[in-house]
């Protein structure tokens, strides 16, 4: 198309130039020449105005276009998806980075992508140029979580959703939930005593219950089993190709999604008939003055369950693994937690207590770094962008690789070593992004830290545990978790 336009522009120039030259070079009288000059100067701009876009394209196309980043695109449509998910995605990223450097191209989940793995590039995409890099996840993820979910939204709609989510997830809103978090944690630990449990599975139950409590408040009690059942089906399709045919994982996920939507609608219709304060995320969504549609609310509830449950459960699973492997660190955390309860009449945690856990906080930070359970996120270039001498073409996905940054030896020396003391000094800006960066950074990070602290308090002060079987290896479920979900036995001290 643009080639065609350029040809047209060239033809126009070639057509006009000889006409003028021919007229000018004949032997006319001086008056005629002057008259011609006058007429040409008068009409030339008018003639050139419609041609301007063509001329601009012509000159543009002659300008040097920067090259695409190095890398390979794999098979048509499938690209390198199987390479990415068949083994360990981190091996895929690390080997690509080793081969091509901190910016390279690939093709996954049906999309051409540019992957970036330096703090400067992550800042460029997520902060400085966030207006040209829009959140855009592969179609399977968008359709499963809901097109109108906060992750995929932009502009005013995104700002509104963020305000509503933050209203429910700021500490002043959920600190009153601490006793509920404690009873969920205690119940789960008590029911796991002495038996062989899969840590990730149990942690998912804990974080699911905490998520439902912060979304549905008291209403969660009635619906939690149904929500849990359907959500387990939904999540199975998260990394699937978006092929909606009977029997495919994606198809089953979409059906489960409809069931969850039905439950959310039921809860909303009951609430609309009552007048009460719920103090939860659903209330925040329902009380918006401009009004969110039921579909928008459902998309965002499913989105928040997804964002809240597996992420936090997988981080907790890694913490339990690292504490077992590092007895000195476990000892320090246990002493810190025991000191909080010493001399207290009521053995209950308060919001102020959670501010007295610096060692536990550093263990959480170091786990977020080493495990980097969200290895990357997705953005899409809405126009051609040049970065570091390479072209990121319009429509391509851009993936900042958080894990590669967190494992860079230049930023975190001896990066594979679990060493919480490295966080005694605050990390440099844009080098530590477990909760993302910029306008789409995680609004649930405070809630996640609080629920992890509550669980670690009860676990370290009342229990000891050992890992059963081999504890090396990683699996993706969809976030990184220790092999087999870390089977453990838990004993009361
Ligand atoms: C340790 C646990 C968690 C981790 C590591 C984590 C990580 C992240 C990251 C990296 C992002 C940014 C994604 C991007 O830029 O594309 C994000 C976004 C988000 N997270 Fe979390 N998260 C965690 C827990 C939670 C919890 C508990 C909630 C809710 C209760 C939550 C709700 C959200 C939401 C709603 C977004 C989307 C924000 C937006 O698009 O504006 N997350 N999370």
């Amino acid at each position: 198309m643009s080639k065609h336009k350029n040809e047209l522009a060239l033809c126009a120039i070639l057509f006009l130039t000889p006409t003028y030259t021919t007229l000018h070079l004949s032997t006319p009288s001086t008056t005629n020449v002057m008259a011609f000059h006058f007429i040409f100067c008068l009409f030339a701009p008018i003639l050139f105005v419609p041609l301007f876009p063509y001329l601009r394209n012509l000159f543009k196309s002659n300008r040097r276009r920067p090259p695409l980043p190095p890398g390979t695109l794999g098979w048509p449509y499938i690209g390198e998806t199987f390479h990415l998910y068949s083994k360990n995605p981190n091996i895929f990223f690390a080997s690509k980075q080793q081969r091509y450097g901190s910016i390279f191209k690939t093709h996954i989940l049906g999309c051409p992508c540019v992957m970036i793995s330096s703090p400067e590039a992550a800042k460029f995409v997520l902060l400085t140029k966030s207006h040209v890099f829009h959140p855009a996840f592969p179609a399977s993820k968008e359709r499963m979580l809901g097109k109108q979910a906060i992750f995929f939204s932009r502009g005013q709609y995104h700002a509104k959703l963020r305000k509503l989510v933050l209203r429910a997830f700021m500490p002043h809103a959920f600190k009153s939930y601490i006793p509920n978090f404690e009873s969920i944690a205690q119940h789960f630990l008590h029911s796991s005593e002495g038996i062989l449990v899969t840590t990730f599975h149990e942690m998912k139950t804990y974080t699911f219950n905490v998520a439902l409590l912060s979304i549905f408040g008291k209403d969660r009690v009635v619906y939690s089993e149904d929500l849990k059942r359907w959500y387990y089906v939904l999540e199975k399709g998260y990394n699937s190709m978006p092929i909606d045919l009977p029997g495919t994982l994606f198809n089953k996920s979409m059906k489960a999604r409809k069931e969850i939507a039905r439950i959310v609608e039921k809860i909303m219709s009951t609430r609309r008939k009552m007048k009460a304060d719920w103090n939860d995320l659903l209330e925040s969504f329902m009380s918006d003055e401009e009004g969110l549609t039921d579909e928008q609310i459902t998309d965002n509830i499913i989105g928040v369950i997804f964002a809240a449950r597996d992420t936090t459960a997988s981080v907790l699973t890694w913490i339990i693994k690292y504490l077992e492997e590092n007895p000195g660190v476990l000892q320090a955390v246990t002493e810190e937690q025991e000191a909080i309860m010493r001399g207290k009449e009521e053995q209950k945690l308060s919001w102020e207590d959670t501010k007295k856990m610096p060692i536990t906080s550093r263990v959480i930070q170091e786990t977020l770094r080493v495990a980097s359970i969200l290895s990357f996120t997705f953005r899409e270039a809405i126009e051609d962008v040049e970065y570091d001498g390479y072209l990121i073409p319009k429509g391509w996905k851009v993936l900042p690789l958080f894990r590669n940054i967190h494992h860079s030896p230049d930023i975190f020396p001896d990066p594979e070593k679990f060493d919480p003391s490295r966080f005694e000094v605050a990390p440099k800006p844009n080098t530590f992004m477990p909760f993302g960066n910029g306008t789409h950074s995680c609004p649930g990070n405070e809630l996640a830290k609080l629920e992890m602290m509550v669980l670690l308090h009860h676990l370290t002060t009342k229990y000891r545990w050992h890992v059963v079987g081999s504890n090396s290896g990683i699996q993706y479920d969809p976030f990184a978790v220790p092999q087999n979900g870390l089977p453990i036995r838990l004993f009361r001290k």
Side-chain angles (χ1 to χ4, degrees), residues 126 137 150-152 158 162 165 169 214 303-304 307-308 311-312 315 368 373-374 377-379 402 433-437 439-445 447-448 451-452:
L126 299 171
F137 292 67
I150 183 167
F151 317 97
F152 321 122
H158 176 251
R162 236 184 128 76
V165 171
F169 290 155
S214 41
V304 167
T311 47
T312 320
V315 176
L368 286 165
I373 56 125
L374 244 109
T377 188
F378 287 95
R379 294 290 184 271
F402 298 131
M433 294 170 281
F435 294 106
N437 202 352
T439 46
H440 284 271
S441 65
C442 181
N445 75 91
L447 178 67
E451 62 180 294
M452 291 196 265

Side-chain angles (χ1 to χ4, degrees), residues 99 209 220 335 412 456 458 460:
R99 190 152 173 211
N209 284 328
R220 89 191 154 97
E335 282 169 14
F412 297 102
L456 289 174
H458 290 282
T460 57

Side-chain angles (χ1 to χ4, degrees), residues 12-26 36 40:
I13 290 171
L14 291 174
F15 174 76
L16 281 174
T17 314
T19 315
Y20 169 66
T21 318
T22 321
L23 285 170
H24 191 57
L25 291 183
S26 56
F36 175 78
F40 184 82

Side-chain angles (χ1 to χ4, degrees), residues 17 123 163 169 174 183 262 281 445 463 490:
T17 314
K123 182 182 171 199
K163 192 185 80 193
F169 290 155
F174 63 67
S183 67
R262 244 173 247 151
L281 181 66
N445 75 91
Y463 293 88
L490 198 68

Side-chain angles (χ1 to χ4, degrees), residues 268-302:
M268 287 196 289
S269 98
T270 313
R271 282 194 182 190
R272 281 184 184 123
K273 289 177 203 144
M274 297 161 74
K275 268 210 177 320
D277 278 340
W278 279 274
N279 185 31
D280 53 31
L281 181 66
L282 183 61
E283 183 183 42
S284 183
F285 282 153
M286 289 177 72
S287 65
D288 177 46
E289 275 156 26
E290 293 143 55
L292 290 176
T293 65
D294 286 6
E295 207 186 336
Q296 286 170 333
I297 293 178
T298 304
D299 282 3
N300 281 288
I301 298 263
I302 292 177

